[in-house]
Amino acid sequence: LANLAIQLPMIFVLAVAALLPPWAIDALPWVTFPSAVLVFGVILFALECVAQAMSLVGNPLLGMMLFITHWFVTFLFSGLFIKISSVIWPLRILCYITPMRWGMPSMIYQAFSPYDGERGDVFEGAGKCTPSPFFGP
């Protein structure tokens, strides 16, 4: 309980520190900043819980390796790089249970939802570079 009392405020301080520069530099709408901080804080808290679970491994180096592997798998299967429909079924389960899979689209929606096109703030010229489901050469 004492760990949680210190951990949660610091996670949200870290979320504010991580999201403040993109919101300030990119001139994103400030009305969506608190909800984006909440979503990012939940992602960080989920990863922190996994990190604490991995710390129970007997060897500290093995625990760190397991956490980095978990973070990489979470980041890879978040849907930002590979379409979920392109992932084969045994691995597609990872796409649905990782916290970044649901958090990253929520943060992107929070950042760009006020741009509705009624005020002339439409993003023009944006589209897919390639028709394939994979991004890159």
Side-chain angles (χ1 to χ4, degrees):
L1 192 58
N3 186 17
L4 192 65
I6 294 173
Q7 186 178 17
L8 276 180
M10 289 309 297
I11 281 177
F12 287 104
V13 166
L14 183 60
V16 168
L19 293 179
L20 193 60
W23 249 259
I25 292 170
D26 295 336
L28 294 173
W30 289 102
V31 294
T32 62
F33 185 73
S35 57
V37 166
L38 179 68
V39 170
F40 192 62
V42 169
I43 292 172
L44 288 177
F45 182 70
L47 291 172
E48 179 65 26
C49 290
V50 170
Q52 287 184 7
M54 298 297 173
S55 71
L56 298 175
V57 175
N59 187 350
L61 294 177
L62 184 61
M64 285 190 286
M65 184 187 72
L66 287 172
F67 175 72
I68 295 296
T69 302
H70 172 77
W71 182 88
F72 181 72
V73 166
T74 300
F75 192 63
L76 182 65
F77 291 118
S78 66
L80 292 175
F81 302 108
I82 302 171
K83 284 186 178 180
I84 294 177
S85 60
S86 299
V87 178
I88 60 173
W89 251 112
L91 296 176
R92 192 180 301 179
I93 296 169
L94 295 173
C95 296
Y96 294 121
I97 63 172
T98 58
M100 281 192 200
R101 160 69 176 99
W102 305 105
M104 297 302 273
S106 299
M107 284 184 10
I108 292 169
Y109 177 78
Q110 291 300 323
F112 295 109
S113 63
Y115 296 109
D116 55 2
E118 294 177 5
R119 300 179 303 268
D121 51 6
V122 177
F123 295 103
E124 295 182 11
K128 282 186 153 182
C129 296
T130 176
S132 76
F134 300 101
F135 303 106

